[in-house]
Amino acid sequence: MKQFFSDIPTVKYEGKDTKNPFAFRYYDADKVILGKKMSEHLPFAMAWWHNLCAAGTDMFGRDTADKRFGTEKGTMEHAKAKVDAGFEFMQKLGIKYFCFHDVDIVPEADDINETNRRLDEITDYMLEKMKDTDIKCLWGTANMFSNPRYMNGAGSTNSVDVYCFAAAQIKKALDLTVKLGGRGYVFWGGREGYETLLNTDIKFEQENIANLMRMAVEYGRSIGFTGDFYIEPKPKEPMKHQYDFDAATAIGFLRQYGLDKDFKMNIEANHATLAGHTFNHELRISAINGMLGSIDANQGDCMLGWDTDEFPYDVYESTMCMYEVLKAGGLTGGFNFDAKNRRPSNTYEDMFHAYILGMDTFALGLIKAAELIEQGQLDSFIQKRYESFGSELGQRIRNGKTTLTELAEHAEKMGSCPAVSSGRQEYLESIVNRTLFN
Ligand code: XUL
Ligand code: CO
């Protein structure tokens, strides 16, 4: 078997003082944290599209990296070379999962029947590879945003024929996800939104999207898919306004259309910040609604207003993320690096540096979040902050057993309001900093 990264060694944990650039400083797969191995806390996944397909093309220039893997792009030979390279890459890093869109794994043909035939062929090949390794599929999805037929949306299109193509792609992508044993199936609504209300019937479009999702659930369950469906919220880009704006909006949509039992959230850090939220806000909103499913682990740039999909290096953010994940009892999905190298980082070595950076960032975040939880200072502060609701009256308020009149009488009896306690934000922030930098 041809080796694509023969000069890169298998990446191992060597501890924080190692000088080896191809070693983990914090990610120690078998290390037990809060009763679970790091590898179980952190089911990392490789994103097929960024790692094996994207080669640096942007709006202003063409590829800077060579991702031909010794073949010609647009061929099945290239599709197979990507499988070989991808598996070699994951094995060298100890990554156990991958995520894919249908058209990441084969070149799309003009005729959907031919695309589907290619998909069957490549997934047979992927299955062969999977048999020889412990690598599995985290989630699959259909790309319903690149092909020009989706310029007016997929589930939200005005064309009934295009809607059928979306259905056909979802059906096939579900078949493939089941064939590859995927844990989840993602809907990211890249073109599900609008540019102007002058040509758009939002209610009509949202009902059609919900129907498509309902059909996907019915079909998925009928072929034995027992995993979670995910919505991946994002407020904008490529559309001016996307319907799955953020977790709260997506959860409301799922409840409105009776889809909430089958769906959870796939929260992407950079999408959270585009929506004007922190990453941990989106995770918390999902978790308190019982819908924290999976994570697209990346990072944006506060200087830029778009989805830069950078590899995560911000340990404060990863700590806050892991704090939410640990509190929620873990993910049913995993941590998919929906991230790409910067355009000038164009060598094979850079692909490895990027994943080592991302994995170590989350491993350190996990270690620090576990420390915060074990110290318990944040928890006890929050508990104390609400303790006035422990009173007899407070308990009745909590249990919905009071009236406005009764509470008003209580206030009127007091006359003037008692002193209220400090929120102590800066003190709490210093606890986090002490934990991070001790
Ligand atoms: C786009 C994005 C997608 C989804 C899958 O911003 O995040 O790659 O993760 O379609
Ligand atoms: Co994503």
Side-chain angles (χ1 to χ4, degrees):
M1 174 64 63
K2 185 172 182 311
Q3 289 256 312
F4 295 92
F5 313 110
S6 52
D7 47 343
I8 311 264
T10 297
V11 180
K12 299 208 179 79
Y13 171 73
E14 291 185 8
K16 69 180 170 49
D17 296 324
T18 183
K19 299 271 180 295
N20 178 2
F22 295 106
F24 295 118
R25 282 162 178 72
Y26 302 99
Y27 182 64
D28 182 3
D30 291 330
K31 186 186 163 97
V32 174
I33 299 208
L34 297 180
K36 237 164 68 173
K37 283 185 185 174
M38 259 198 183
S39 57
E40 292 165 45
H41 281 293
L42 297 167
F44 289 126
M46 178 193 76
W48 211 270
W49 54 103
H50 282 314
N51 204 44
L52 303 172
C53 309
T57 289
D58 69 10
M59 255 110 74
F60 302 95
R62 57 180 185 271
D63 285 357
T64 53
D66 182 359
K67 299 242 173 122
R68 288 172 298 176
F69 301 113
T71 61
E72 199 185 318
K73 280 190 172 184
T75 62
M76 282 304 281
E77 198 198 354
H78 179 236
K80 285 186 182 155
K82 286 197 291 185
V83 177
D84 294 338
F87 275 77
E88 184 188 338
F89 183 83
M90 287 185 276
Q91 279 176 294
K92 288 217 155 132
L93 284 158
I95 290 179
K96 305 282 188 246
Y97 294 92
F98 60 86
C99 299
F100 72 100
H101 301 82
D102 45 4
V103 301
D104 300 336
I105 56 175
V106 294
E108 194 175 6
D110 286 339
D111 185 326
I112 193 168
N113 297 294
E114 169 58 13
T115 306
N116 286 349
R117 193 204 58 74
R118 293 178 187 178
L119 287 167
D120 290 337
E121 184 184 332
I122 202 72
T123 47
D124 284 346
Y125 191 64
M126 287 160 79
L127 265 187
E128 280 303 308
K129 287 271 179 188
M130 288 167 72
K131 269 194 215 130
D132 299 335
T133 66
D134 52 358
I135 292 171
K136 302 181 199 64
C137 172
L138 184 67
W139 53 254
T141 188
N143 177 326
M144 305 194 299
F145 42 90
S146 295
N147 192 297
R149 64 176 169 260
Y150 296 123
M151 71 177 189
N152 293 314
S156 59
T157 180
N158 59 314
S159 156
V160 77
D161 291 338
V162 171
Y163 192 84
C164 292
F165 268 85
Q169 266 188 266
I170 294 170
K171 178 172 180 283
K172 189 69 185 172
L174 274 165
D175 287 337
L176 303 176
T177 302
V178 170
K179 178 172 172 181
L180 298 173
R183 279 193 190 187
Y185 183 87
V186 164
F187 281 87
W188 169 61
R191 303 268 175 209
E192 315 292 33
Y194 65 85
E195 297 296 332
T196 172
L197 284 180
L198 297 176
N199 66 12
T200 303
D201 183 338
I202 292 184
K203 188 166 184 292
F204 184 97
E205 294 194 358
Q206 291 199 336
E207 285 168 359
N208 280 357
I209 294 169
N211 260 323
L212 196 56
M213 288 180 175
R214 174 190 54 76
M215 290 185 274
V217 170
E218 283 167 11
Y219 180 75
R221 299 304 180 216
S222 80
I223 59 165
F225 177 64
T226 53
D228 290 319
F229 289 86
Y230 301 121
I231 283 187
E232 184 178 322
K234 186 177 183 184
K236 58 187 170 187
E237 197 201 6
M239 302 301 273
K240 168 176 149 178
H241 179 95
Q242 279 164 210
Y243 294 136
D244 304 323
F245 191 94
D246 59 4
T249 312
I251 291 167
F253 170 86
L254 291 171
R255 293 225 170 102
Q256 183 179 356
Y257 293 104
L259 294 160
D260 47 309
K261 299 286 172 287
D262 292 283
F263 274 80
K264 289 191 166 74
M265 294 296 114
N266 180 38
I267 297 298
E268 177 164 324
N270 204 165
H271 296 181
T273 48
L274 282 180
H277 299 308
T278 56
F279 186 18
N280 53 337
H281 168 91
E282 287 293 83
L283 297 168
R284 179 74 64 94
I285 293 294
S286 306
I288 62 172
N289 284 285
M291 287 200 204
L292 177 56
S294 206
I295 284 176
D296 270 11
N298 65 9
Q299 173 178 324
D301 185 322
C302 65
M303 298 293 149
L304 304 172
W306 62 90
D307 196 13
T308 57
D309 282 342
E310 291 171 38
F311 276 88
Y313 62 80
D314 185 332
V315 176
Y316 197 98
E317 287 293 304
S318 67
T319 303
M320 292 297 113
C321 165
M322 292 315 299
Y323 189 80
E324 296 302 322
V325 170
L326 289 172
K327 287 277 185 189
L331 301 175
T332 49
F335 295 79
N336 167 45
F337 286 111
D338 193 354
K340 59 184 180 227
N341 282 97
R342 296 307 84 194
R343 192 164 181 263
S345 303
N346 63 342
T347 68
Y348 287 159
E349 287 83 355
D350 291 306
M351 291 164 63
F352 282 87
H353 290 315
Y355 271 77
I356 292 168
L357 170 70
M359 291 165 77
D360 263 346
T361 298
F362 271 84
L364 186 51
L366 168 65
I367 294 167
K368 296 297 173 183
E371 278 176 40
L372 282 171
I373 288 172
E374 279 177 327
Q375 288 162 11
Q377 283 164 288
L378 302 179
D379 273 339
S380 57
F381 185 84
I382 290 177
Q383 211 181 0
K384 210 164 164 0
R385 185 156 183 253
Y386 296 96
E387 77 183 355
S388 74
F389 280 84
S391 67
E392 190 270 335
L393 176 62
Q395 281 303 295
R396 282 195 296 113
I397 293 173
R398 294 286 296 148
N399 295 327
K401 294 276 164 23
T402 48
T403 65
L404 218 50
T405 308
E406 180 192 358
L407 301 190
E409 276 168 10
H410 183 78
E412 284 155 14
K413 223 183 283 165
M414 285 188 293
S416 59
C417 190
V420 285
S421 63
S422 165
R424 298 251 188 279
Q425 180 170 334
E426 296 77 5
Y427 164 72
L428 297 168
E429 285 166 345
S430 78
I431 291 178
V432 176
N433 270 7
R434 258 179 278 151
T435 309
L436 282 177
F437 302 110
N438 67 7

